[in-house]
Amino acid sequence: MTLQQRRLQSDTGPLAAQPAAGDVVKFSLTSELARHLPETIAVFNEAMQCVSIIPTQKSPMEWLNRSVGDLFTPTNAVVAAIQQAQNGATVDMDCQRVGAATWYALSFAPLPNGMVIVSARDVTERKQREEAVARSQQELTHTLTTHSNAAREAGEQLALKVKELERRTREIGLMSEMIALLQACVDVKEAYQLLSRYMSKLFPSSSGMIAIIRESRNVAEVEVSWGAGNEFNTPVFAPNDCWSLRSGRAHNSIDLPICSHLSGTTDLGDGCWCIPMLAQGETLGVVNVRLVTKLDEAQRQLLTAVTEQIALSLANLKLRKALNELSIRDSLTGLFNRRYMEESIGRELARAKRSGERVGFLMIDTDFFKKFNDTFGHEIGDAVLRELGALFKTNLREHDIPCRYAGDEWLMILVGKEIDLEVAQRRAQELCILATRIRVQSGSQLVGQITLSIGVASFPDHGEDKDALLRAADRALYKAKDAGRNRVQLAVPERVALMEAAEKRLELAATDEAASETVAA
């Protein structure tokens, strides 16, 4: 490095990294220097002194013998360019006039003997065009970025809406499926099984229960539960223990006072909702749902809609059961009526024929029932019938079929593998004994002892069809009455009964003939 170069470096700081051939380096010019551009063409020697000025209109002759440091400020970039040109490269540089929008292009080209020729030209228009293009590109990039971000946000929003729509569609489909199946249920037990399955599908991150208020209206009992934490410290609770049952609207035990029936539950999640089930002007019970995350508005509306549908379905099942009971039950005694009796006989005989089992028939008559009505009035007669109905319902098995046949006559249909003629007879004898223990009062007076006459028949011992079996049981009943009442009489096969009837007719005919001969004599 020459003495002049070291002086320049000390004056202007470290030299800039030498640009490669063809590079464009940007720096600024002072106003004084820019005054002589772009007409000036100068030659610099190895010591970076101006040794020649090519004559032009504005050639600054005062540059002669001046150093780069005297002519260019800042100097580093020019020094680096001259050094590169001295090494045989051509270097182009862009410079801007300080405080102005004027641009120049300096070109450093090598000459023999380490000389460097420097020329300049005005490139302001080109720079302005480049700046305009750069601004346009920047604006375009900004616009594209803005639109891209907006499109991305719109896409994300659309994806969320599609996901939400898919969830809502799935929920509506599940709810429609649940409603259709609930309408096809024949009893509440089937409905409870369906509800447990579908509530866990509709609210997959939840646990909960459905409690039904009993007929007494003073207790609610959990009938359905689902989810991971479906244990309940109070499976039976008073309706007043639930805020939603008190108020008749939804209640969240996270934000509001906790329901007493949930006070022992260890984990209420982020949302613990109680929704009352209201239908046909009656409060049926409550749906409780505990969620891992809080319900949004759509999910809350879904929970309300599902609860309404559950309430309507259970109310319809309750009404259907009541109507069915009215159609098959005797209103006075609560036993099955004659229409249901005839349907049941056909069904049970068909089942017994398939399984090879027996069916027992107890034809029952209330002894001297007319006496109760004539002596004490029909109100006491109805009381006797009600007591007998309660006796039959209480002392027969759940799957037996107690029926009111007509007036004060009854028919008990006994079914099951253990039923045979001996078992049926023993059941009939037990009913006779229990009937004598019934006490009915008219004012302060007991109406007297109640007794039964019972005829017993069974399938297939006494017939293959309904009519034959009922005739056999009826004949046995009349035998019991003829024998003095308050007793059980077994039926005989129809052919034996026909023979007995024929013999009786012959006996009566012989008696009548003897009486006629006596009168004639």
Side-chain angles (χ1 to χ4, degrees), residues 368-405:
F368 305 110
F369 179 72
K370 188 174 182 299
K371 178 186 67 176
F372 296 113
N373 281 332
D374 294 342
T375 306
F376 302 101
H378 290 286
E379 184 178 349
I380 296 301
D382 289 347
V384 171
L385 295 178
R386 280 194 295 269
E387 290 293 332
L388 287 172
L391 170 70
F392 298 141
K393 283 193 293 186
T394 305
N395 292 281
L396 291 180
R397 299 165 304 163
E398 184 179 357
H399 50 276
D400 290 334
I401 307 170
C403 306
R404 187 179 180 187
Y405 188 66

Side-chain angles (χ1 to χ4, degrees), residues 398-509:
E398 184 179 357
H399 50 276
D400 290 334
I401 307 170
C403 306
R404 187 179 180 187
Y405 188 66
D408 61 325
E409 293 186 357
W410 322 81
L411 180 69
M412 308 293 123
I413 305 171
L414 310 181
V415 296
K417 294 181 179 180
E418 73 280 11
I419 292 299
D420 57 21
L421 197 57
E422 182 181 352
V423 172
Q425 182 182 18
R426 187 165 60 249
R427 296 273 176 82
Q429 290 169 343
E430 291 172 357
L431 292 176
C432 279
I433 295 171
L434 292 170
T436 62
R437 299 173 183 173
I438 294 176
R439 296 291 181 266
V440 177
Q441 284 185 309
S442 175
S444 60
Q445 180 185 358
L446 290 173
V447 300
Q449 190 177 61
I450 300 171
T451 61
L452 303 175
S453 297
I454 304 178
V456 180
S458 69
F459 166 86
D461 303 291
H462 303 107
E464 295 285 337
D465 57 42
K466 178 188 71 172
D467 294 336
L469 289 162
L470 291 181
R471 284 197 303 269
D474 197 47
R475 286 194 300 267
L477 169 62
Y478 278 96
K479 278 189 176 183
K481 295 175 70 173
D482 291 341
R485 293 183 170 84
N486 191 21
R487 67 188 63 234
V488 175
Q489 180 66 47
L490 291 179
V492 296
E494 191 164 13
R495 55 184 178 79
V496 176
L498 291 175
M499 291 176 60
E500 290 178 350
E503 292 175 356
K504 189 172 184 179
R505 284 197 299 272
L506 289 174
E507 290 177 0
L508 289 174

